[in-house]
Amino acid sequence: DVKVTQSSRYLVKRTGEKVFLECVQDMDHENMFWYRQDPGLGLRLIYFSYDVKMKEKGDIPEGYSVSREKKERFSLILESASTNQTSMYLCASSLGGHNTGELFFGEGSRLTVL
Amino acid sequence: KQEVTQIPAALSVPEGENLVLNCSFTDSAIYNLQWFRQDPGKGLTSLLLIQSSQREQTSGRLNASLDKSSGRSTLYIAASQPGDSATYLCAVDTGNQFYFGTGTSLTVIP
């Protein structure tokens, strides 16, 4: 079975702190994605990556950056956390190619910024 | 831009009932459509993936259909159980992005 692992299920941070959210997949997938999910707004794409060292902005990249130094790992970075970044963050991966294929999600990371 | 809609937003049914969840999308140029289940506070679990060339997919008590030309998909759940209570989301793959509906929250009453 494909496994997407998010390192932290729950985090509490203070405004202005730097926050790292880590995501690892074990199926050699090309594509990796970071979403945030908020009540009433659904899933919104923050960043995605089609290959190592490659990144593309999604719909809401402001205040976030990403890193993909290895194929299996995709990190989301909040340079200076703000209260409006309190949310559920979901990492996902898919095989890749022209048809992005079936999408697999991690368990999510619930971030609270105080 | 692709828009995905799921109606109703919430549904409550007695145990044992068969039910249908709906998903509609505005642009028929999709590669596939995927149905997910999400339990409270958890990530999304993939239920069924329908390729654009397919009309339906089945897994156990679940059957998903796709009518690409009309921009619609349905998820049929047979003989519902309390354990089916969750939020169900659909997503379409346009080849470089996935677009998600906001989900239908299903409650199956024992």
Side-chain angles (χ1 to χ4, degrees), chain B residues 33 54 94 99 106 110:
Chain B
L33 184 144
Q54 297 175 317
T94 60
Y99 292 88
L106 173 65

Side-chain angles (χ1 to χ4, degrees), chain A residues 40-103:
Chain A
L41 296 177
L43 275 82
R44 292 180 290 169
L45 181 63
I46 305 171
Y47 268 97
F48 59 101
S49 169
Y50 289 147
D51 201 352
V52 175
K53 296 191 185 294
M54 178 272 180
K55 60 185 178 185
E56 292 284 345
K57 293 180 180 179
D59 299 320
I60 52 163
E62 296 78 19
Y64 303 94
S65 62
V66 291
S67 172
R68 192 162 181 204
E69 295 296 318
K70 293 185 177 181
K71 190 175 186 179
E72 67 271 19
R73 187 179 298 269
F74 192 35
S75 303
L76 181 68
I77 303 153
L78 288 66
E79 293 288 343
S80 177
S82 63
T83 55
N84 63 12
Q85 292 178 310
T86 292
S87 186
M88 170 69 102
Y89 290 87
L90 295 166
C91 175
S93 73
S94 69
L95 185 60
H98 194 56
N99 179 340
T100 44
E102 190 172 2
L103 196 58

Side-chain angles (χ1 to χ4, degrees), chain B:
Chain B
K1 182 182 173 183
Q2 178 77 262
E3 291 185 5
V4 181
T5 304
Q6 292 185 250
I7 296 173
L11 183 63
S12 185
V13 300
E15 182 177 2
E17 194 162 294
N18 302 325
L19 61 102
V20 174
L21 306 180
N22 297 296
C23 172
S24 61
F25 47 96
T26 54
D27 187 344
S28 63
I30 65 170
Y31 283 95
N32 60 56
L33 184 144
Q34 198 169 348
W35 281 93
F36 296 90
R37 169 190 173 128
Q38 186 176 31
D39 293 292
K42 297 287 186 68
L44 279 68
T45 300
S46 179
L47 296 174
L48 288 164
L49 173 75
I50 312 177
Q51 302 287 351
S52 61
S53 58
Q54 297 175 317
R55 298 284 294 187
E56 64 179 75
Q57 279 282 352
T58 298
S59 176
R61 294 183 294 110
L62 306 180
N63 177 277
S65 68
L66 174 64
D67 184 344
K68 211 171 78 157
S69 60
S70 68
R72 293 186 179 184
S73 176
T74 61
L75 179 67
Y76 174 83
I77 302 177
S80 59
Q81 303 170 358
D84 294 330
S85 298
T87 297
Y88 291 81
L89 295 96
C90 64
V92 297
D93 175 7
T94 60
N96 56 12
Q97 259 208 49
F98 293 86
Y99 292 88
F100 289 82
T102 51
T104 295
S105 177
L106 173 65
T107 302
V108 180
I109 303 165

